[in-house]
Amino acid sequence: MPDAPTPTHDQLYAMYRSMVTMRRFDAVVTELAEADRIPGYAHTYTGSEAIAAGVCAALRPSDWIASTYRNHGHAIGKGVALRAMAAELHGRRTGTAKGKGGSMHISDFGVGMLGAFGIVAAGMPIALGAALSMKMQGRDEVAVAFFGDGAVHQGVFHEAMGLAKLWNAPVLFVCENNQYAEATALDYHLHTETVANMAAGYALPGVRADGMDVVAVYQATLEAVARARAGGGATLLEFVSYRFSGQYEGDKQTYQPADERAAWWAREPLTAFEQAAAERGLDAARLERIRADADAEVAAAFAAAEQDPWPEPDELYDDVYVSYEGGLR
Ligand SMILES: Cc1ncc(C[n+]2csc(CCOP(=O)(O)OP(=O)(O)O)c2C)c(N)n1
Ligand SMILES: [Mg+2]
């Protein structure tokens, strides 16, 4: 992508910080899940950090994202507080959903995180709605829906793409093609050569880029964001990565051949970034400090969250149902 702007050193350091924070956060989640110290299912994001970090670096705080059950990276990228996320995972009342949602339901409207949705592809129409709202209000914010390769078989994927075109909505559909949908490999479930070329069926631009390279992700996203802000409508972005994490914490991943994992791991996004650092004029000692700071920040967030209070039993139904004045009509 020759025309895309090269990120500044500060932007590169920030993207690296974002990626290492995601990696560390989910490493702690894995430890906690293995020790049975957090309730409910958790889904980690190891290997796809460049996607969340690169996409979110191309957004403003006032833009919107909608996520999936595999949401920790997206939330961190968009700026949700680590402490509130950690508290949510621990079920504490200081969590983003006051401890009632857990790992699969992180949200924070204050930073543009519309929510994480456990139903595959469910975030797509939600981001589309946010995008339509921005357009109707005459604003230039955009909305992003993150989803996996498995989501392209959901009816709602096709409905959202069709309506996005019809309404010329400022939305980015970001497919994280991590080669697997649960235990099903991509070559078993995908009927087209790429996900990106499905955009043609809806007369939308479809762009495919390396999801292991945070700069490639950033540049592809920036171009789609600029088009959307300028009234040019939606884009389907496909970022190619690998799901090193299990489908859920505890998954034995027997369906992923060891040689396949090893070949992808050789290109994993943090190492790839570190290897390219000198060529980009970045300072190795500063990267090391960033890693140490991120580790300390994540550790402090979880340590503090675990001391936070539980919700009280009489709060059980608070914030669960909407009360309409005069009842539903
Ligand atoms: C509508 C619906 N069908 C089935 C499921 C069960 N399910 C949870 S995750 C998943 C696989 C999704 O794979 P993909 O979209 O590639 O995302 P990834 O987990 O790889 O990030 C399935 C089938 C679900 N959550 N929602
Ligand atoms: Mg997948």
Side-chain angles (χ1 to χ4, degrees):
M1 211 166 304
D3 297 338
T6 307
T8 63
H9 282 184
D10 280 350
Q11 286 172 321
L12 287 168
Y13 286 125
M15 286 186 228
Y16 184 69
R17 167 89 192 217
S18 183
M19 287 196 293
V20 293
T21 306
M22 293 169 195
R23 177 72 58 90
R24 188 66 208 140
F25 188 93
D26 272 350
V28 175
V29 171
T30 298
E31 283 166 26
L32 292 172
E34 275 171 3
D36 219 5
R37 281 169 59 203
I38 46 171
Y41 271 106
H43 306 79
T44 60
Y45 193 57
T46 305
S48 294
E49 295 89 348
I51 305 177
V55 168
C56 292
L59 300 179
R60 297 178 190 154
S62 54
D63 292 323
W64 302 97
I65 65 166
S67 176
T68 71
Y69 46 87
R70 202 178 298 290
N71 65 79
H72 307 156
H74 308 143
I76 292 169
K78 198 67 180 68
V80 180
L82 297 183
R83 163 81 189 269
M85 287 179 64
E88 190 57 40
L89 266 75
H90 274 298
R92 308 304 161 115
R93 62 136 67 106
T94 48
T96 52
K98 299 185 187 171
K100 290 186 179 133
S103 164
M104 273 200 271
H105 298 286
I106 307 284
S107 67
D108 184 350
F109 286 16
V111 297
M113 170 57 168
L114 288 168
F117 305 99
I119 301 300
V120 170
M124 295 183 71
I126 291 166
L128 174 61
L132 182 64
S133 165
M134 295 299 104
K135 182 181 169 181
M136 290 173 74
Q137 293 176 59
R139 304 171 62 109
D140 73 348
E141 275 85 6
V142 305
V144 171
F146 290 99
F147 52 92
D149 46 287
V152 305
H153 307 299
Q154 285 287 98
V156 75
F157 167 91
H158 300 275
E159 293 169 30
M161 297 266 286
L163 282 174
K165 176 64 188 180
L166 185 69
W167 294 337
N168 194 37
V171 62
L172 274 57
F173 297 123
V174 174
C175 180
E176 301 183 323
N177 178 355
N178 60 11
Q179 314 302 316
Y180 284 89
E182 291 196 322
T184 306
L186 192 74
D187 60 5
Y188 192 85
H189 80 72
L190 195 69
H191 56 290
T192 54
E193 200 179 319
T194 69
V195 169
N197 66 16
M198 288 184 177
Y202 301 93
L204 290 174
V207 178
R208 180 176 156 101
D210 183 0
M212 300 292 206
D213 177 354
V214 72
V215 174
V217 172
Y218 170 74
Q219 290 180 326
T221 307
L222 210 56
E223 198 175 284
V225 167
R227 183 166 44 243
R229 291 205 205 287
T235 301
L236 172 63
L237 292 156
E238 175 188 7
F239 295 122
V240 181
S241 70
Y242 191 84
R243 204 195 72 215
F244 296 104
S245 293
Q247 156 60 20
Y248 53 88
E249 288 311 290
D251 178 2
K252 300 277 180 265
Q253 295 169 265
T254 48
Y255 48 85
Q256 290 180 330
D259 56 345
E260 176 189 281
R261 281 178 66 88
W264 282 93
W265 186 252
R267 300 184 48 237
E268 71 88 10
L270 267 58
T271 311
F273 187 96
E274 287 151 14
Q275 283 167 352
E279 200 182 301
R280 290 177 176 146
L282 301 178
D283 173 24
R286 181 149 170 200
L287 296 184
E288 204 176 309
R289 279 202 303 281
I290 289 174
R291 282 197 297 275
D293 288 352
D295 284 5
E297 199 194 356
V298 168
F302 276 100
E306 216 171 358
Q307 304 304 315
D308 281 346
W310 297 99
E312 294 296 332
D314 65 4
E315 294 167 22
L316 189 63
Y317 293 110
D318 292 353
D319 307 311
V320 175
Y321 299 102
V322 176
S323 302
Y324 294 97
E325 210 175 318
L328 276 176
R329 278 177 288 251

